[in-house]
Amino acid sequence: MKKIALFVGLYVGLTGFAMAQQGSVEAGQEKAGVCAACHGPNGNSPSDMYPKIAGQHAEYLAKQLMDYRLAAETNGEQGRANAIMQGQAMNLSDEDIADLSAYFAAQDAELGETPEDVVAAGQKLYRSGDESRGLTACAACHGPRGDGMGLAKFPDISGNHAAYVQQQLEMFRSGERANDPNGMMRDVAAKLTDQDIEILANYLAGLY
């Protein structure tokens, strides 16, 4: 019951935050030019080194930019450390972040593809987890189609580059990435094998 109450309180708090952070799509488009080098002009990164951010929840995008900015301010001790993104986010105002997030959230994500040989294993792991290992199903937070939940800042993880998703899961597992609320992703990723991560990353690439 305490967990339910905590989640409700967190959800309500995030809802209020999200409502206060509405950005302008038009203003965001004007500010997004520098982002195109890595993420593409509309947020569909041509390189699997960088994430597709087109169609991502604005609330999640805003949190990540704020976390990058915090990492820049604290020399990586807090927030989300990444040399490239810290440099990009360090001079962004709250309004800039809201506008950029609104712009990329409004773009259409390009479809990816799941290799046939991972569909069955990926679907089972994603939807059901593994009770024997205490592994929570990804769908519990990200939904059956990977859409996530914007107000709770659970990202849309469908259709992204497999290489990028694999990298992030490995970073959560090692603790190198630690900006997940209450360590939720680190707890899950700690139970994933290398094979699990590879299967999930490729499965998610074509999930819609």
Side-chain angles (χ1 to χ4, degrees), residues 137-206:
C138 308
C141 291
H142 296 286
R145 299 178 61 185
D147 296 333
M149 185 187 301
L151 294 179
K153 299 189 179 65
F154 297 154
D156 183 336
I157 57 173
S158 64
N160 225 311
H161 296 301
Y164 176 77
V165 173
Q166 180 170 339
Q167 177 195 59
Q168 297 307 302
L169 287 174
E170 289 172 348
M171 290 174 68
F172 277 127
R173 184 175 63 180
S174 70
E176 184 178 352
R177 179 175 173 183
N179 72 323
D180 49 325
N182 300 314
M184 289 188 293
M185 278 305 304
R186 280 169 285 171
D187 288 344
V188 171
K191 299 169 186 174
L192 295 174
T193 66
D194 288 346
Q195 184 179 29
D196 292 335
I197 289 177
E198 184 176 357
I199 288 172
L200 284 170
N202 281 282
Y203 176 71
L204 287 168

Side-chain angles (χ1 to χ4, degrees), residues 17-204:
F17 174 84
M19 291 176 64
Q21 295 293 315
Q22 294 296 323
S24 165
V25 173
E26 292 75 16
Q29 184 174 17
E30 294 178 1
K31 299 172 181 179
V34 68
C35 309
C38 295
H39 297 289
N42 62 354
N44 286 291
S45 172
S47 170
D48 65 6
M49 293 174 57
Y50 308 112
K52 297 178 186 179
I53 55 176
Q56 183 57 266
H57 300 296
E59 297 86 356
Y60 178 78
L61 291 174
K63 179 188 186 304
Q64 300 312 303
L65 287 172
M66 289 180 178
D67 285 352
Y68 285 130
R69 187 175 64 184
L70 178 60
E73 295 168 350
T74 63
N75 198 29
E77 293 298 317
Q78 300 178 51
R80 182 177 177 181
N82 178 282
I84 295 175
M85 285 304 304
Q86 284 174 221
Q88 296 299 322
M90 62 187 299
N91 294 318
L92 294 178
S93 67
D94 288 352
E95 182 179 358
D96 292 334
I97 288 175
D99 292 341
L100 288 168
S101 299
Y103 170 68
F104 285 113
Q107 306 310 301
D108 293 326
E110 294 178 357
L111 302 181
E113 189 173 331
T114 297
E116 288 293 331
D117 61 346
V118 303
V119 171
Q123 185 177 77
K124 181 179 180 181
L125 194 58
Y126 181 83
R127 294 186 177 180
S128 303
D130 187 337
E131 187 176 356
S132 68
R133 291 186 281 161
L135 182 61
T136 303
C138 308
C141 291
H142 296 286
R145 299 178 61 185
D147 296 333
M149 185 187 301
L151 294 179
K153 299 189 179 65
F154 297 154
D156 183 336
I157 57 173
S158 64
N160 225 311
H161 296 301
Y164 176 77
V165 173
Q166 180 170 339
Q167 177 195 59
Q168 297 307 302
L169 287 174
E170 289 172 348
M171 290 174 68
F172 277 127
R173 184 175 63 180
S174 70
E176 184 178 352
R177 179 175 173 183
N179 72 323
D180 49 325
N182 300 314
M184 289 188 293
M185 278 305 304
R186 280 169 285 171
D187 288 344
V188 171
K191 299 169 186 174
L192 295 174
T193 66
D194 288 346
Q195 184 179 29
D196 292 335
I197 289 177
E198 184 176 357
I199 288 172
L200 284 170
N202 281 282
Y203 176 71
L204 287 168

